[in-house]
Amino acid sequence: MTSADDGPHPVYTEKLLDGLKEREVKATFFVLGQNVEKYPEIIERMKEEGHIIGNHTYSHIQLRSANRQQFRDELVLTNESISGITGQEVQYVRPPYGTWDKKLEEELNMFPVLWNVDPNDWCTGNADKVTKNIVNKAKENCIILLHDCYQSSVDAALASIDILTQEGYEFVTVEELLFD
């Protein structure tokens, strides 16, 4: 399963969507509210092509005890932005840096989704290195963390899908992985 964080990006997310469509793969996108507002047409495309759209806060804020209300407000604002475009309730959240408050699940009726494969794509522009990290760490039912705001990450995502598909892996959305 592949998931993309921090988008949508006006160039790289479109390239990723093109590659996913070509490969008939669905993914889960955890988007930032500030980018949703800038690029609503990309959110609409994600929905139309059958991808899951999750919340990654409005501004990539990390939850801390001192900013819990601001964090919650960012989740609500981002949910409203996404739902306003898709007409669907947002069910999934990927908290930036993996920091989460279990009480928010009940308050907002959202399910947190973390990851178990992190190729550290955000700290290198080397797509081959990221691809190698993904392929070496991939296993059944894993959730791969990638970012759709870098060309190298998009290249690595598509290369990894090609390699892992040949090895017999199937790529599904987080919803399919967790609830089917």
Side-chain angles (χ1 to χ4, degrees):
M1 199 285 291
T2 299
S3 61
D5 284 11
D6 295 353
H9 184 279
V11 176
Y12 305 128
T13 303
E14 293 276 10
K15 288 182 178 182
L16 180 57
L17 287 167
D18 291 344
L20 294 172
K21 186 175 186 177
E22 180 181 308
R23 291 161 176 80
E24 298 180 2
V25 169
K26 305 295 181 223
T28 304
F29 290 85
F30 292 96
V31 296
L32 295 174
Q34 63 190 10
N35 293 338
V36 170
E37 291 179 359
K38 290 179 192 173
Y39 310 109
E41 67 284 354
I42 300 174
I43 299 298
E44 182 61 34
R45 179 178 174 190
M46 288 174 184
K47 177 192 173 236
E48 288 175 4
E49 293 181 4
H51 302 286
I52 298 294
I53 304 165
N55 189 327
H56 198 47
T57 74
Y58 189 85
S59 67
H60 207 272
I61 185 174
Q62 183 172 7
L63 175 63
R64 301 186 189 286
S65 58
N67 72 353
R68 185 184 188 281
Q69 187 59 47
Q70 180 186 0
F71 184 88
R72 185 186 187 286
D73 291 347
E74 285 205 15
L75 290 175
V76 171
L77 180 59
T78 301
N79 281 351
E80 290 170 354
S81 295
I82 295 167
S83 295
I85 296 166
T86 66
Q88 299 173 337
E89 182 179 339
V90 181
Q91 297 179 308
Y92 304 101
V93 56
R94 167 151 307 139
Y97 312 100
T99 309
W100 184 243
D101 178 347
K102 194 99 169 124
K103 292 178 186 173
L104 288 170
E105 289 173 44
E106 293 176 18
E107 289 177 32
L108 300 175
N109 194 30
M110 297 183 77
F111 190 83
V113 178
L114 300 179
W115 57 90
N116 49 18
V117 175
D118 182 358
N120 294 309
D121 63 312
W122 58 271
C123 64
T124 180
N126 186 329
D128 291 336
K129 181 178 179 180
V130 174
T131 301
K132 185 177 178 181
N133 284 341
I134 293 169
V135 171
N136 288 340
K137 295 176 183 178
K139 59 185 177 200
E140 187 175 351
N141 296 322
C142 70
I143 297 175
I144 302 166
L145 169 65
L146 285 165
H147 297 81
D148 58 335
C149 51
Y150 308 108
Q151 180 66 52
S152 56
S153 296
V154 171
D155 292 344
L158 298 175
S160 297
I161 289 169
D162 293 342
I163 293 166
L164 292 171
T165 299
Q166 288 180 343
E167 292 180 9
Y169 287 92
E170 179 182 352
F171 289 84
V172 298
T173 65
V174 68
E175 189 168 82
E176 293 171 282
L177 180 66
L178 298 175
F179 298 109
D180 279 355

